[in-house]
Structures are given as structure tokens and as C-alpha cells.
Amino acid sequence: IVSMFLTACFSLCTPIIYVSEVMLLSTGGGGASAGSLGKFLSLTGLSGGSSTEGITPLLNSRRMTIDIQNQFALNKNPKFRYSISIRETIGAFAIKVKGTDPVLTAKIANFVVQNLDKINMELNITPNKPMVKVLDPATYGSREPRGTSRKIIVGGMLAFLLINLYAFFSEYIKRLKLQMHN
């Protein structure tokens, strides 16, 4: 019960996480590295690779991180933490930004798309200009569920398991000591 109570307190004291998502379409139809079926049908999904192959390294690059920090002056706000991930769907993909400020997560998600094009222009990564097309821009971040009840149940189960292991091994050691003395 104590571990479940502490888990609930810890879960409720953690900052609320907001998620903003920008839905994108890749403008590159596969290019020279596309498979023959993908070239013939001009379909990105059949080109033998993911539509996010060239975008994922850019999102995780130090250049992108520095541009985001400079654009939004994140050095002055050390409490704000964010993370960027990609979610693929059929025919499109989404860039998800998670953070503790719902307005800033939406701004970062929309800025990332602009910055992808800027990096593409500077490095000439793809001949496609723009690199991606925005299907749905990011809006005010939606609150991510905390999952408090699930965390409470897991905390209780782990505490129960540890107590049982402690009881088992303490009894086992006592019996071993008794057998050694006899």
C-alpha cells in the first residue's frame, strides 16, 4: 500500500506532458535508389525504403537541436524539455514533439518542418523542394495521459514481488543456518 501511495504521489508530481503533431507528405518519389516496382508505379511506399529514411537523421542531428534552441531561446528556459519522434502511417508520416509547454511544442513542430527545408537547401540532400509538404500543421499540444492507475498497479505488484522474495530468501537462509549447526 505504501509503494502504491508513493507511486501515485510521484506520478501526480511529475510535469504534464503535451504532444503536438504535424502531419506530412513526402515529396520525394523514391529517386534513383527506388526499387523497380516503385519506379514503375511512382509510389513512394513501394520503393523498398521508408519515406522517413532521409528525415530521421536530420531530426536527430545536432544542427536541428541547435537551430531549435536558438529559435526559441531554450537556453534561457532550462526547465523546458522536449523530444522529437516520427510516427509513420500509410502514405504519410507525422513528426511528434513532446514537451511541458503546449504552445511551445506546436511552435517547435511547425519550425522543424521549415528547418528541414532550410537544411535541405544548404546541403542539397534531395532535389525535391520543399523536402516535405504539410498536410496538417501542428496545433496547441494535447495532454498526454499520465497512466497513473497503471503505474500504481505496477508499483504494487513490484513491491509485492520484492516482499515475497525477501521473505523467501530470509527463511531459506535461516533454514540453511539451522542445518549447518545441526
Side-chain angles (χ1 to χ4, degrees):
I1 292 174
V2 170
S3 69
M4 293 170 76
F5 177 75
L6 291 175
T7 302
C9 290
F10 179 74
S11 179
L12 294 174
C13 290
T14 57
I16 298 169
I17 301 296
Y18 296 94
V19 178
S20 291
E21 187 174 86
V22 58
M23 187 64 72
L24 303 171
L25 295 171
S26 178
T27 59
S33 64
S36 59
L37 183 60
K39 286 181 190 176
F40 179 71
L41 297 176
S42 298
L43 297 174
T44 308
L46 297 176
S47 63
S50 170
S51 61
T52 60
E53 280 178 350
I55 295 170
T56 304
L58 293 176
L59 289 177
N60 296 327
S61 70
R62 186 176 52 213
R63 178 183 287 209
M64 181 67 77
T65 303
I66 290 170
D67 288 347
I68 291 170
Q69 287 177 349
N70 291 340
Q71 177 71 23
F72 298 103
L74 295 181
N75 295 334
K76 296 177 184 175
N77 188 3
K79 290 184 179 181
F80 178 76
R81 300 277 184 238
Y82 71 95
S83 66
I84 300 175
S85 62
I86 291 183
R87 180 179 60 87
E88 290 192 62
T89 60
I90 297 174
F93 62 96
I95 295 176
K96 292 173 66 172
V97 178
K98 293 182 180 184
T100 54
D101 183 352
V103 174
L104 199 51
T105 56
K107 288 180 180 179
I108 290 173
N110 289 323
F111 174 75
V112 164
V113 176
Q114 296 170 358
N115 206 36
L116 280 173
D117 286 331
K118 182 187 117 191
I119 293 172
N120 186 28
M121 293 288 231
E122 290 174 6
L123 300 178
N124 230 356
I125 298 169
T126 66
N128 306 322
K129 311 292 188 246
M131 190 173 194
V132 293
K133 291 187 180 180
V134 177
L135 184 60
D136 294 324
T139 57
Y140 188 83
S142 61
R143 187 175 175 169
E144 188 174 63
R146 291 182 191 236
T148 304
S149 58
R150 182 179 51 87
K151 290 176 184 175
I152 290 172
I153 292 170
V154 169
M157 289 172 54
L158 286 175
F160 181 74
L161 177 68
L162 289 174
I163 289 170
N164 282 331
L165 285 173
Y166 173 76
F168 172 77
F169 282 114
S170 65
E171 281 295 317
Y172 182 72
I173 291 172
K174 283 181 187 177
R175 287 186 186 215
L176 282 178
K177 286 181 181 179
L178 283 175
Q179 286 179 355
M180 292 180 82
H181 288 294
N182 291 336

mmCIF file of all heavy atoms in Angstrom, residues 107-137:
data_model
loop_
_atom_site.group_PDB
_atom_site.id
_atom_site.type_symbol
_atom_site.label_atom_id
_atom_site.label_comp_id
_atom_site.label_asym_id
_atom_site.label_seq_id
_atom_site.Cartn_x
_atom_site.Cartn_y
_atom_site.Cartn_z
ATOM 1 N N LYS A 107 4.790 25.215 -31.725
ATOM 2 C CA LYS A 107 5.724 26.078 -32.457
ATOM 3 C C LYS A 107 6.960 25.304 -32.911
ATOM 4 O O LYS A 107 7.430 25.487 -34.037
ATOM 5 C CB LYS A 107 6.137 27.264 -31.581
ATOM 6 C CG LYS A 107 5.038 28.285 -31.392
ATOM 7 C CD LYS A 107 5.511 29.438 -30.523
ATOM 8 C CE LYS A 107 4.432 30.462 -30.322
ATOM 9 N NZ LYS A 107 4.880 31.565 -29.452
ATOM 10 N N ILE A 108 7.475 24.441 -32.042
ATOM 11 C CA ILE A 108 8.655 23.650 -32.400
ATOM 12 C C ILE A 108 8.326 22.692 -33.541
ATOM 13 O O ILE A 108 9.098 22.541 -34.486
ATOM 14 C CB ILE A 108 9.214 22.893 -31.180
ATOM 15 C CG1 ILE A 108 9.844 23.881 -30.198
ATOM 16 C CG2 ILE A 108 10.230 21.837 -31.594
ATOM 17 C CD1 ILE A 108 10.289 23.268 -28.882
ATOM 18 N N ALA A 109 7.167 22.033 -33.477
ATOM 19 C CA ALA A 109 6.782 21.084 -34.529
ATOM 20 C C ALA A 109 6.694 21.785 -35.881
ATOM 21 O O ALA A 109 7.168 21.256 -36.897
ATOM 22 C CB ALA A 109 5.454 20.419 -34.185
ATOM 23 N N ASN A 110 6.094 22.965 -35.932
ATOM 24 C CA ASN A 110 5.996 23.697 -37.198
ATOM 25 C C ASN A 110 7.357 24.229 -37.645
ATOM 26 O O ASN A 110 7.657 24.255 -38.836
ATOM 27 C CB ASN A 110 4.976 24.831 -37.073
ATOM 28 C CG ASN A 110 3.564 24.308 -36.992
ATOM 29 O OD1 ASN A 110 3.204 23.335 -37.647
ATOM 30 N ND2 ASN A 110 2.752 24.927 -36.158
ATOM 31 N N PHE A 111 8.199 24.630 -36.688
ATOM 32 C CA PHE A 111 9.533 25.114 -37.036
ATOM 33 C C PHE A 111 10.404 24.000 -37.613
ATOM 34 O O PHE A 111 11.199 24.231 -38.524
ATOM 35 C CB PHE A 111 10.215 25.722 -35.802
ATOM 36 C CG PHE A 111 11.647 26.101 -36.047
ATOM 37 C CD1 PHE A 111 11.967 27.227 -36.782
ATOM 38 C CD2 PHE A 111 12.679 25.307 -35.565
ATOM 39 C CE1 PHE A 111 13.290 27.569 -37.025
ATOM 40 C CE2 PHE A 111 14.001 25.634 -35.795
ATOM 41 C CZ PHE A 111 14.309 26.771 -36.525
ATOM 42 N N VAL A 112 10.253 22.788 -37.097
ATOM 43 C CA VAL A 112 11.053 21.655 -37.568
ATOM 44 C C VAL A 112 10.849 21.443 -39.064
ATOM 45 O O VAL A 112 11.800 21.175 -39.801
ATOM 46 C CB VAL A 112 10.710 20.382 -36.758
ATOM 47 C CG1 VAL A 112 11.195 19.137 -37.447
ATOM 48 C CG2 VAL A 112 11.302 20.466 -35.367
ATOM 49 N N VAL A 113 9.617 21.606 -39.535
ATOM 50 C CA VAL A 113 9.333 21.426 -40.963
ATOM 51 C C VAL A 113 10.054 22.499 -41.777
ATOM 52 O O VAL A 113 10.669 22.202 -42.803
ATOM 53 C CB VAL A 113 7.808 21.462 -41.219
ATOM 54 C CG1 VAL A 113 7.513 21.385 -42.704
ATOM 55 C CG2 VAL A 113 7.127 20.332 -40.480
ATOM 56 N N GLN A 114 9.985 23.743 -41.325
ATOM 57 C CA GLN A 114 10.686 24.823 -42.021
ATOM 58 C C GLN A 114 12.195 24.588 -42.014
ATOM 59 O O GLN A 114 12.879 24.815 -43.007
ATOM 60 C CB GLN A 114 10.384 26.163 -41.351
ATOM 61 C CG GLN A 114 8.938 26.577 -41.425
ATOM 62 C CD GLN A 114 8.665 27.776 -40.530
ATOM 63 O OE1 GLN A 114 9.543 28.272 -39.835
ATOM 64 N NE2 GLN A 114 7.419 28.228 -40.545
ATOM 65 N N ASN A 115 12.705 24.123 -40.885
ATOM 66 C CA ASN A 115 14.134 23.899 -40.762
ATOM 67 C C ASN A 115 14.600 22.722 -41.615
ATOM 68 O O ASN A 115 15.727 22.724 -42.098
ATOM 69 C CB ASN A 115 14.509 23.697 -39.293
ATOM 70 C CG ASN A 115 15.929 24.076 -39.009
ATOM 71 O OD1 ASN A 115 16.461 25.020 -39.586
ATOM 72 N ND2 ASN A 115 16.566 23.319 -38.141
ATOM 73 N N LEU A 116 13.744 21.711 -41.802
ATOM 74 C CA LEU A 116 14.094 20.611 -42.710
ATOM 75 C C LEU A 116 14.364 21.145 -44.109
ATOM 76 O O LEU A 116 15.329 20.756 -44.757
ATOM 77 C CB LEU A 116 12.964 19.579 -42.766
ATOM 78 C CG LEU A 116 12.855 18.575 -41.633
ATOM 79 C CD1 LEU A 116 11.584 17.752 -41.785
ATOM 80 C CD2 LEU A 116 14.066 17.686 -41.580
ATOM 81 N N ASP A 117 13.508 22.050 -44.568
ATOM 82 C CA ASP A 117 13.700 22.632 -45.896
ATOM 83 C C ASP A 117 14.957 23.490 -45.952
ATOM 84 O O ASP A 117 15.679 23.484 -46.947
ATOM 85 C CB ASP A 117 12.471 23.445 -46.305
ATOM 86 C CG ASP A 117 11.303 22.560 -46.675
ATOM 87 O OD1 ASP A 117 11.542 21.423 -47.140
ATOM 88 O OD2 ASP A 117 10.161 22.988 -46.496
ATOM 89 N N LYS A 118 15.224 24.226 -44.873
ATOM 90 C CA LYS A 118 16.429 25.062 -44.839
ATOM 91 C C LYS A 118 17.687 24.188 -44.909
ATOM 92 O O LYS A 118 18.607 24.463 -45.684
ATOM 93 C CB LYS A 118 16.443 25.904 -43.565
ATOM 94 C CG LYS A 118 17.627 26.836 -43.459
ATOM 95 C CD LYS A 118 17.668 27.498 -42.103
ATOM 96 C CE LYS A 118 18.936 27.046 -41.468
ATOM 97 N NZ LYS A 118 19.176 27.281 -40.117
ATOM 98 N N ILE A 119 17.708 23.116 -44.136
ATOM 99 C CA ILE A 119 18.865 22.209 -44.153
ATOM 100 C C ILE A 119 18.980 21.538 -45.514
ATOM 101 O O ILE A 119 20.086 21.358 -46.043
ATOM 102 C CB ILE A 119 18.755 21.176 -43.011
ATOM 103 C CG1 ILE A 119 18.889 21.868 -41.665
ATOM 104 C CG2 ILE A 119 19.806 20.085 -43.154
ATOM 105 C CD1 ILE A 119 18.609 20.971 -40.466
ATOM 106 N N ASN A 120 17.853 21.167 -46.109
ATOM 107 C CA ASN A 120 17.862 20.552 -47.440
ATOM 108 C C ASN A 120 18.440 21.514 -48.481
ATOM 109 O O ASN A 120 19.201 21.103 -49.356
ATOM 110 C CB ASN A 120 16.452 20.116 -47.834
ATOM 111 C CG ASN A 120 16.429 19.354 -49.135
ATOM 112 O OD1 ASN A 120 17.387 18.713 -49.521
ATOM 113 N ND2 ASN A 120 15.303 19.445 -49.817
ATOM 114 N N MET A 121 18.099 22.780 -48.389
ATOM 115 C CA MET A 121 18.632 23.778 -49.332
ATOM 116 C C MET A 121 20.141 23.945 -49.148
ATOM 117 O O MET A 121 20.876 24.030 -50.121
ATOM 118 C CB MET A 121 17.952 25.130 -49.124
ATOM 119 C CG MET A 121 16.500 25.109 -49.492
ATOM 120 S SD MET A 121 16.277 25.005 -51.241
ATOM 121 C CE MET A 121 15.166 26.344 -51.484
ATOM 122 N N GLU A 122 20.594 23.971 -47.880
ATOM 123 C CA GLU A 122 22.010 24.172 -47.606
ATOM 124 C C GLU A 122 22.859 22.975 -48.032
ATOM 125 O O GLU A 122 23.933 23.140 -48.592
ATOM 126 C CB GLU A 122 22.235 24.430 -46.110
ATOM 127 C CG GLU A 122 21.716 25.758 -45.628
ATOM 128 C CD GLU A 122 21.818 25.904 -44.120
ATOM 129 O OE1 GLU A 122 22.390 25.015 -43.452
ATOM 130 O OE2 GLU A 122 21.311 26.913 -43.600
ATOM 131 N N LEU A 123 22.374 21.773 -47.757
ATOM 132 C CA LEU A 123 23.178 20.572 -48.009
ATOM 133 C C LEU A 123 22.827 19.866 -49.316
ATOM 134 O O LEU A 123 23.502 18.924 -49.691
ATOM 135 C CB LEU A 123 23.007 19.582 -46.846
ATOM 136 C CG LEU A 123 23.425 20.084 -45.465
ATOM 137 C CD1 LEU A 123 23.155 19.016 -44.422
ATOM 138 C CD2 LEU A 123 24.886 20.485 -45.460
ATOM 139 N N ASN A 124 21.767 20.309 -49.974
ATOM 140 C CA ASN A 124 21.338 19.698 -51.228
ATOM 141 C C ASN A 124 21.129 18.187 -51.076
ATOM 142 O O ASN A 124 21.652 17.388 -51.860
ATOM 143 C CB ASN A 124 22.347 19.975 -52.335
ATOM 144 C CG ASN A 124 21.669 20.511 -53.564
ATOM 145 O OD1 ASN A 124 20.447 20.614 -53.611
ATOM 146 N ND2 ASN A 124 22.468 20.837 -54.561
ATOM 147 N N ILE A 125 20.375 17.809 -50.072
ATOM 148 C CA ILE A 125 20.151 16.393 -49.760
ATOM 149 C C ILE A 125 19.268 15.742 -50.810
ATOM 150 O O ILE A 125 19.570 14.664 -51.303
ATOM 151 C CB ILE A 125 19.531 16.252 -48.360
ATOM 152 C CG1 ILE A 125 20.484 16.804 -47.316
ATOM 153 C CG2 ILE A 125 19.171 14.803 -48.060
ATOM 154 C CD1 ILE A 125 19.896 16.969 -45.951
ATOM 155 N N THR A 126 18.169 16.388 -51.138
ATOM 156 C CA THR A 126 17.268 15.858 -52.169
ATOM 157 C C THR A 126 17.014 16.951 -53.197
ATOM 158 O O THR A 126 17.079 18.139 -52.880
ATOM 159 C CB THR A 126 15.911 15.416 -51.584
ATOM 160 O OG1 THR A 126 15.219 16.568 -51.089
ATOM 161 C CG2 THR A 126 16.073 14.404 -50.481
ATOM 162 N N PRO A 127 16.694 16.575 -54.426
ATOM 163 C CA PRO A 127 16.365 17.590 -55.428
ATOM 164 C C PRO A 127 14.964 18.165 -55.219
ATOM 165 O O PRO A 127 14.598 19.135 -55.852
ATOM 166 C CB PRO A 127 16.451 16.830 -56.750
ATOM 167 C CG PRO A 127 16.198 15.408 -56.386
ATOM 168 C CD PRO A 127 16.724 15.229 -54.998
ATOM 169 N N ASN A 128 14.198 17.552 -54.325
ATOM 170 C CA ASN A 128 12.821 17.989 -54.091
ATOM 171 C C ASN A 128 12.789 19.231 -53.215
ATOM 172 O O ASN A 128 13.340 19.239 -52.132
ATOM 173 C CB ASN A 128 12.026 16.874 -53.418
ATOM 174 C CG ASN A 128 12.097 15.592 -54.186
ATOM 175 O OD1 ASN A 128 12.083 15.608 -55.403
ATOM 176 N ND2 ASN A 128 12.211 14.484 -53.476
ATOM 177 N N LYS A 129 12.150 20.260 -53.701
ATOM 178 C CA LYS A 129 11.979 21.496 -52.948
ATOM 179 C C LYS A 129 10.491 21.805 -52.918
ATOM 180 O O LYS A 129 9.899 21.968 -53.965
ATOM 181 C CB LYS A 129 12.738 22.660 -53.599
ATOM 182 C CG LYS A 129 14.181 22.385 -53.953
ATOM 183 C CD LYS A 129 15.063 22.205 -52.752
ATOM 184 C CE LYS A 129 16.517 22.132 -53.170
ATOM 185 N NZ LYS A 129 17.194 20.924 -52.985
ATOM 186 N N PRO A 130 9.851 21.805 -51.809
ATOM 187 C CA PRO A 130 10.288 21.526 -50.450
ATOM 188 C C PRO A 130 10.478 20.032 -50.224
ATOM 189 O O PRO A 130 9.983 19.204 -50.971
ATOM 190 C CB PRO A 130 9.145 22.051 -49.586
ATOM 191 C CG PRO A 130 7.932 21.905 -50.437
ATOM 192 C CD PRO A 130 8.408 22.141 -51.847
ATOM 193 N N MET A 131 11.198 19.716 -49.147
ATOM 194 C CA MET A 131 11.519 18.330 -48.847
ATOM 195 C C MET A 131 10.266 17.540 -48.466
ATOM 196 O O MET A 131 10.135 16.370 -48.811
ATOM 197 C CB MET A 131 12.539 18.281 -47.712
ATOM 198 C CG MET A 131 13.133 16.941 -47.460
ATOM 199 S SD MET A 131 14.456 17.126 -46.243
ATOM 200 C CE MET A 131 15.258 15.561 -46.412
ATOM 201 N N VAL A 132 9.371 18.179 -47.731
ATOM 202 C CA VAL A 132 8.098 17.571 -47.327
ATOM 203 C C VAL A 132 6.998 18.599 -47.503
ATOM 204 O O VAL A 132 7.245 19.797 -47.527
ATOM 205 C CB VAL A 132 8.130 17.087 -45.859
ATOM 206 C CG1 VAL A 132 9.078 15.937 -45.672
ATOM 207 C CG2 VAL A 132 8.476 18.215 -44.918
ATOM 208 N N LYS A 133 5.771 18.116 -47.627
ATOM 209 C CA LYS A 133 4.617 19.008 -47.706
ATOM 210 C C LYS A 133 3.756 18.796 -46.469
ATOM 211 O O LYS A 133 3.527 17.672 -46.044
ATOM 212 C CB LYS A 133 3.801 18.717 -48.963
ATOM 213 C CG LYS A 133 4.524 19.116 -50.222
ATOM 214 C CD LYS A 133 3.646 18.980 -51.427
ATOM 215 C CE LYS A 133 4.437 19.397 -52.665
ATOM 216 N NZ LYS A 133 3.656 19.306 -53.867
ATOM 217 N N VAL A 134 3.286 19.903 -45.917
ATOM 218 C CA VAL A 134 2.496 19.850 -44.697
ATOM 219 C C VAL A 134 1.060 19.502 -45.048
ATOM 220 O O VAL A 134 0.396 20.223 -45.791
ATOM 221 C CB VAL A 134 2.556 21.194 -43.937
ATOM 222 C CG1 VAL A 134 1.677 21.155 -42.715
ATOM 223 C CG2 VAL A 134 3.988 21.516 -43.569
ATOM 224 N N LEU A 135 0.586 18.403 -44.504
ATOM 225 C CA LEU A 135 -0.809 18.007 -44.667
ATOM 226 C C LEU A 135 -1.652 18.668 -43.587
ATOM 227 O O LEU A 135 -2.656 19.296 -43.883
ATOM 228 C CB LEU A 135 -0.924 16.477 -44.587
ATOM 229 C CG LEU A 135 -2.289 15.869 -44.822
ATOM 230 C CD1 LEU A 135 -2.796 16.218 -46.213
ATOM 231 C CD2 LEU A 135 -2.213 14.359 -44.668
ATOM 232 N N ASP A 136 -1.240 18.541 -42.345
ATOM 233 C CA ASP A 136 -1.902 19.189 -41.210
ATOM 234 C C ASP A 136 -0.836 19.836 -40.340
ATOM 235 O O ASP A 136 0.023 19.132 -39.796
ATOM 236 C CB ASP A 136 -2.670 18.169 -40.362
ATOM 237 C CG ASP A 136 -3.839 17.556 -41.089
ATOM 238 O OD1 ASP A 136 -4.488 18.267 -41.862
ATOM 239 O OD2 ASP A 136 -4.100 16.354 -40.868
ATOM 240 N N PRO A 137 -0.868 21.172 -40.171
ATOM 241 C CA PRO A 137 0.117 21.806 -39.294
ATOM 242 C C PRO A 137 -0.155 21.457 -37.830
ATOM 243 O O PRO A 137 -1.256 21.047 -37.470
ATOM 244 C CB PRO A 137 -0.081 23.305 -39.550
ATOM 245 C CG PRO A 137 -1.455 23.421 -40.103
ATOM 246 C CD PRO A 137 -1.775 22.130 -40.782
#
